[in-house]
Amino acid sequence: MKAAILEGLDTMAVRDVPEPACGDDEALLRVRACAVCGSDIRIYHYGNDRVTMPAIMGHEIAGDIVAVGKNVTRVAVGDRVALGADVPCGKCYWCQNGMGTNCSINYAVGYQFAGGFQEVMVLNRTILDYGPVTIIPDSLSYAEAAIAEPLACAINGLELANFSLGKSLCVIGLGPIGCMMLELSRVFGAKKVFAAQRSRQRMEMARAFLPGARFIATEDEDLVETVMRETGGHGVDCVVTTAGTVQAHADAINMVAHRGYVNLFGGLKNQPPLTIDSNLIHYRECFVMGSHGSLPRHHRTAVDLIEAGHVSASRYVSKTFPLENIHDAFRYHESRAGLKVVIVP
């Protein structure tokens, strides 16, 4: 079988490798779709402490179960499943108290566990016992089902920010996650949504996901000034920074309402430290927090929302590539010409 092997920084090769054997406590998944994530690109260029090379990346996955060990009951041969990335260990304090995204070990598919940029992958006992392995209906394509992984992260982000019916929202950064936040705002019952993006090209792509939002191109309008003016100086109840920039983080804190929430969703990479006026937090009694990853229950919810049509997963799939052309897929992702690119092994 073929697999894309990350051999070193900026060095990845598609090679023939032996097909894995299936242990008694394992299952084998025939990968049908694996979407490229921004974190895959970062690992490719900069590495990651949880990734030991040579490695196989990819964590936004859907496929078919083709073999199961004699002790496996969670899945059966022929099941169509989608996978999430974050795998709770199931044993530490955080996992046993429902907070697996803070797991002491922090297992993840495509990190410590070989991921989906291969034709057949192993679902080990930890993944099967504790991980996000969700049966998908026949009505969903594999590419649509793969989108459930990032959608689950967006659901976790709004949940942790206590977003709920009748609140206002501002999303800063309209890449795939930002667009998912727009769609989810309708599911959560937002009363008013601002959607901010620096480039007009990316902003125009995002309009279809929530036509009624107030779109702001930050190269043309001052984001904080606009939001504060259009909310009568109150600000918004929740701001989510899906753009990982210092400016986005600072703007979010400057426009949040009293008792509002700021979710610093987009991590800062190769950015200067964030400097803020902490009096804004003090006097507004607002909450500044972050989120990353998701729990298995978020992944199940994501699949359900896609199946019900509340999130249009097919809109996110801008282009597909065979595994042999994974370098072209990475270049397409980095070009920002579309939203999601999917590898079809």
Side-chain angles (χ1 to χ4, degrees), residues 138-149:
D138 292 338
S139 59
L140 292 188
S141 70
Y142 294 106
E144 288 174 312
I147 299 302
E149 196 284 329

Side-chain angles (χ1 to χ4, degrees), residues 194 214 216 221-231:
F194 296 90
R214 168 61 161 100
I216 301 169
E221 296 183 73
D222 184 284
L223 175 58
V224 175
E225 180 183 311
T226 299
V227 169
M228 296 304 288
R229 182 179 67 251
E230 296 188 11
T231 58

Side-chain angles (χ1 to χ4, degrees), residues 3 16 21 64 87 100-101 112 119 124 141 147 164 178 193 214 256 295 298 308 324 344:
D16 289 312
D64 303 313
V87 181
T101 49
Q112 298 97 330
E119 292 183 318
N124 62 31
S141 70
I147 299 302
S164 60
V193 178
R214 168 61 161 100
V256 70
L295 299 171
H298 296 127
E324 292 84 351
V344 181

Side-chain angles (χ1 to χ4, degrees), residues 3-15 39-48 51-57 110 117 327 330:
I5 311 296
L6 180 66
E7 299 173 332
L9 298 184
D10 297 315
T11 305
M12 182 168 54
V14 178
R15 303 192 183 281
S39 60
D40 297 319
I41 303 297
R42 289 192 292 273
I43 294 169
Y44 176 67
H45 289 310
Y46 307 111
N48 185 283
V51 177
T52 301
M53 300 177 196
I56 300 174
M57 297 184 293
F117 294 147
H327 292 95
F330 274 36

Side-chain angles (χ1 to χ4, degrees), residues 247-283:
Q247 186 63 55
H249 288 196
D251 285 348
I253 295 169
N254 276 285
M255 73 173 77
V256 70
H258 288 255
R259 294 292 179 95
Y261 284 77
V262 172
N263 184 346
L264 304 180
F265 187 101
L268 298 181
K269 306 293 182 182
N270 303 315
Q271 292 270 320
L274 174 64
T275 301
I276 60 171
D277 179 359
S278 61
N279 275 333
L280 290 172
I281 300 170
H282 176 71
Y283 286 110

Side-chain angles (χ1 to χ4, degrees), residues 20-29 61 65 67-69 71-75 81 83-91 105-115 118 120-133:
C22 184
D24 290 345
D25 299 309
E26 298 174 335
L28 298 183
L29 180 75
I61 302 165
I65 300 295
V68 296
N71 299 327
V72 173
T73 59
R74 184 170 183 182
V75 293
V81 303
L83 302 183
D86 301 280
V87 181
C89 75
K91 299 175 181 179
I105 300 175
N106 202 16
Y107 285 133
V109 174
Y111 289 72
Q112 298 97 330
F113 304 145
Q118 57 181 326
V120 179
M121 64 179 287
V122 175
L123 306 186
N124 62 31
R125 182 174 181 175
T126 303
I127 295 173
L128 291 173
D129 282 350
Y130 304 113
V133 181

Side-chain angles (χ1 to χ4, degrees), residues 2-4 12 14 30-37 40-41 57-63 116-119 142-143 146-147 317 319-333 340-345:
K2 295 188 181 300
M12 182 168 54
V14 178
R30 174 67 171 88
V31 180
R32 300 295 185 182
C34 185
V36 177
C37 175
D40 297 319
I41 303 297
M57 297 184 293
H59 57 266
E60 300 179 3
I61 302 165
F117 294 147
Q118 57 181 326
E119 292 183 318
Y142 294 106
I147 299 302
V317 182
K319 206 162 187 180
T320 61
F321 289 85
L323 184 62
E324 292 84 351
N325 295 347
I326 192 168
H327 292 95
D328 294 332
F330 274 36
R331 282 191 287 270
Y332 180 81
H333 179 98
K340 297 294 288 185
V341 56
V342 175
I343 300 296
V344 181

